[in-house]
Amino acid sequence: MKKILLTFAAMLSFSATTLAQSITILENQVVVEDGYEYEVGKMALAISPDSKYVCGSTDSYQGFIINWKDNDTKYLEPEEGCELRSVSNTGVAAGYDGSCAITFDVDGTKTVLSDTGMANAITSDGTLVVGNLLENSWYQKACYWKNGELTMLPEPTAEEVGFNVNGAAAYYVSADGSVIVGYVVDDMSSYPAVAWILGEDGTYTVNPICKGYFTADMEDETIPYVEFRPSGVSADGKYVALSVRTTGYCSNMGRYNLETNTLEVADFELNYMLNFTTSGIANDGTMVGYCEDWSEGLMYGFIWKAGEASYAKLSSEYPDFTNLAAYDTAGHIPTFISPDGNYIVGWGYNPETYYCESYVLDRNLATGINTVSDNKEVKEVARYTIDGAKISTPTKGLNIVKMSDGTTKKVIVK
């Protein structure tokens, strides 16, 4: 009896661990045009610091914001082609529509910040937007808008960074606006990273974090990287996510600590056939991104956890969610991780339908497999076995049924 009870306790423990994570698929729009029905795929690009809102673009060049837990999506019909790149806790997203830097909120209001520029990131309270203006249609000038008022950021000098400067852009911002991260346009257009730090006087000064790590001279072997490109800043302003490439042309990922001005790179055997691109970083330094594996013809998502020497495939870390492995075969890009590391957002191509699908991966909280739908009529939209395999008809055993309102229910089929 004691052995049976211990076994049952172990089963309960395993079940609790297994069911502590979930994945929510953001259901695509279904459009009927001239009698033809097709899906408009979502590409999720960011999640708000409080994890309430997700923003991005569609493959029809719309922008969107979704309150993914309440199943409420707002679309921005573009004038020329739109991308919403960052979203605040207040439901305001920053991005661009054609050549215009814009914000767009959950009430459906679009605000043009500049008619020649890009808005790239926004603070948690929605009051500060960072981006760049375009001068003479090509020269990038880093800037920010505070409550809609434009201010130019100081351009890094050649003396500060150690190479020629042909402009700069601000791409990422900490939750409180104290740290802005972007890049310098060098002669090779490899976009090495710089930061701007807010001082007590309310102005920003340049921190040339690429200096000593990046060289624009590919023959200079005394400096390690010919690519030192930023891909995010943690919400607390401590870490910068980087994609780095050695003078031997091997790709890697880097984590730069702004408090200590030190760089950490992942420890694995570099391979010319693997091209890593980082895309987001949590407050503890956990990073996500994607790898193009040219030897296998794959593009898979990865996670590099804080405190670990190297990365792991996202699909290997969460094998119960078989759609992640399916995305890996057709193209999979995790794009963002929440400040607390609980949520990862991204998108991938469904190899069966060839449509783009977006997801929110909950690493800790909810259970099961959920679907957020734009359709308010509640109906069954899909059915899965307990191990996440999709089925078309009820199958003996425990079935997980997805409903169009985002809820799930467990059904035992005898």
Side-chain angles (χ1 to χ4, degrees):
M1 175 63 74
K2 182 177 180 181
K3 183 176 180 180
I4 294 174
L5 288 175
L6 288 173
T7 303
F8 181 65
M11 291 174 62
L12 286 177
S13 175
F14 174 78
S15 175
T17 302
T18 303
L19 295 179
Q21 300 152 349
S22 71
I23 191 165
T24 298
I25 308 301
L26 308 183
E27 191 165 294
N28 292 335
Q29 282 182 301
V30 177
V31 176
V32 179
E33 187 175 357
D34 298 327
Y36 177 70
E37 182 177 290
Y38 62 93
E39 289 186 23
V40 177
K42 286 186 175 76
M43 291 170 279
L45 299 180
I47 193 167
S48 58
D50 63 0
S51 303
K52 181 177 181 179
Y53 297 104
V54 171
C55 72
S57 61
T58 73
D59 52 20
S60 290
Y61 306 106
Q62 303 162 298
F64 74 86
I65 304 175
I66 180 170
N67 182 337
W68 66 279
K69 294 181 180 179
D70 290 344
N71 312 335
D72 186 17
T73 306
K74 184 68 69 173
Y75 291 95
L76 171 58
E77 296 299 331
E79 295 183 12
E80 297 182 60
C82 176
E83 187 173 276
L84 299 179
R85 296 179 160 185
S86 176
V87 61
S88 70
N89 292 344
T90 58
V92 180
Y96 67 85
D97 185 358
S99 62
C100 297
I102 66 165
T103 59
F104 179 69
D105 64 34
V106 289
D107 296 326
T109 302
K110 182 178 87 169
T111 301
V112 176
L113 301 173
S114 170
D115 58 6
T116 55
M118 301 177 72
N120 297 316
I122 191 168
T123 53
S124 62
D125 64 4
T127 61
L128 188 142
V129 176
V130 305
N132 61 281
L133 301 183
L134 289 177
E135 188 176 86
N136 299 323
S137 300
W138 67 272
Y139 196 95
Q140 299 180 57
K141 303 189 74 172
C143 65
Y144 65 89
W145 293 266
K146 179 73 172 180
N147 295 317
E149 182 177 344
L150 173 66
T151 301
M152 305 309 299
L153 286 165
E155 183 170 281
T157 65
E159 290 73 24
E160 287 176 313
V161 297
F163 50 84
N164 291 335
V165 174
N166 305 297
Y171 254 73
Y172 313 100
V173 65
S174 61
D176 64 359
S178 62
V179 176
I180 298 172
V181 171
Y183 59 72
V184 175
V185 182
D186 61 298
D187 289 342
M188 300 298 294
S189 296
S190 51
Y191 308 116
V194 293
W196 291 267
I197 309 300
L198 184 64
E200 294 182 359
D201 62 355
T203 63
Y204 289 90
T205 57
V206 174
N207 179 352
I209 63 177
C210 61
K211 190 170 186 179
Y213 292 106
F214 169 81
T215 176
D217 180 3
M218 293 190 177
E219 302 300 321
D220 185 357
E221 296 184 358
T222 64
I223 298 178
Y225 300 110
V226 295
E227 182 179 322
F228 198 77
R229 188 176 302 195
S231 56
V233 63
S234 58
D236 61 5
K238 181 178 180 179
Y239 293 109
V240 177
L242 297 162
S243 297
V244 299
R245 188 178 297 274
T246 68
T247 50
Y249 306 106
C250 283
S251 172
N252 200 343
M253 61 209 79
R255 179 189 295 125
Y256 191 90
N257 187 324
L258 285 168
E259 294 180 357
T260 60
N261 284 314
T262 55
L263 174 68
E264 179 186 4
V265 294
D267 183 14
F268 64 98
E269 185 176 352
L270 298 179
N271 186 326
Y272 293 101
M273 301 302 290
L274 299 179
N275 183 53
F276 290 91
T277 301
T278 55
S279 55
I281 189 163
N283 285 342
D284 70 351
T286 295
M287 294 169 59
V288 296
Y290 63 95
C291 176
E292 297 166 277
D293 185 342
W294 294 321
S295 64
E296 299 291 337
L298 302 176
M299 181 185 289
Y300 58 79
F302 70 77
I303 183 169
W304 181 23
K305 295 180 182 179
E308 297 192 358
S310 191
Y311 72 96
K313 284 186 178 181
L314 203 61
S315 56
S316 298
E317 286 290 302
Y318 305 99
D320 290 341
F321 307 129
T322 55
N323 46 346
L324 296 177
Y327 296 152
D328 286 348
T329 66
H332 179 197
I333 301 182
T335 53
F336 211 84
I337 185 169
S338 60
D340 60 8
N342 282 343
Y343 297 98
I344 297 171
V345 300
W347 58 274
Y349 288 101
N350 185 321
E352 296 182 359
T353 66
Y354 298 102
Y355 287 120
C356 176
E357 296 177 351
S358 285
Y359 63 84
V360 180
L361 173 62
D362 182 347
R363 300 173 67 200
N364 289 320
L365 303 176
T367 62
I369 299 175
N370 308 303
T371 298
V372 175
S373 172
D374 295 327
N375 188 348
K376 302 305 181 184
E377 179 186 351
V378 180
K379 60 182 181 180
E380 180 178 328
V381 295
R383 185 177 287 253
Y384 295 83
T385 61
I386 188 62
D387 61 359
K390 190 173 183 179
I391 51 179
S392 57
T393 58
T395 300
K396 186 177 180 179
L398 182 62
N399 291 195
I400 299 173
V401 181
K402 303 191 307 181
M403 308 304 290
S404 59
D405 65 350
T407 62
T408 64
K409 58 183 180 181
K410 296 177 181 178
V411 178
I412 296 177
V413 179
K414 297 182 178 181

